[in-house]
Amino acid sequence: RPGLALCAGCGGRIQDPFLLRVSPDLEWHVACLKCAECGQPLDETCTCFLRDGKAYCKRDYSRLFGVKCAQCRAAFSSSDLVMRARDHVYHLECFRCAACGRQLLP
């Protein structure tokens, strides 16, 4: 479909022989697919995440939209062990008694 598609990044018509399709309805010039936050090029070597029609690298997507600890507000890494209490998620070291500050154990 080169020539018919409009780039989600710059809005221009894609005349290039190659285009990047990230979802069924969003296509980019190869040079236009960049993280909306840091500008890192998003190609076959970098995971791309979409939110509200914008593309993000994994680091920025996690920082902006990922689940964060209810106590320290930091994001979780894939290796973190967590505690859940109702709708809240905590790092193990952040899961403490609100009155005395003692760490609560599972």
Side-chain angles (χ1 to χ4, degrees):
R1 293 184 5 185
L4 299 177
L6 294 179
C7 178
C10 71
R13 191 167 301 284
I14 300 175
Q15 301 287 341
D16 307 0
F18 300 102
L19 57 83
L20 296 174
R21 182 174 294 128
V22 178
S23 70
D25 58 339
L26 294 175
E27 299 166 325
W28 276 267
H29 291 107
V30 173
C32 291
L33 185 57
K34 298 178 182 178
C35 175
E37 191 69 14
C38 71
Q40 174 185 352
L42 302 172
D43 55 20
E44 67 278 352
T45 64
C46 182
T47 304
C48 178
F49 295 83
L50 287 180
R51 176 91 173 228
D52 300 326
K54 293 181 181 178
Y56 297 91
C57 66
K58 182 177 183 176
R59 184 186 66 241
D60 286 327
Y61 186 87
S62 294
R63 182 178 57 81
L64 294 168
F65 308 112
V67 175
K68 296 181 177 59
C69 176
Q71 177 62 33
C72 72
R73 304 300 304 152
F76 296 101
S77 73
S78 60
S79 62
D80 284 339
L81 296 175
V82 300
M83 292 295 293
R84 294 181 185 275
R86 298 190 187 249
D87 296 335
H88 301 290
V89 183
Y90 299 84
H91 293 106
L92 284 182
E93 60 274 8
C94 294
F95 193 60
R96 298 180 173 275
C97 174
C100 70
R102 278 186 45 195
Q103 185 173 8
L104 301 173
L105 301 174

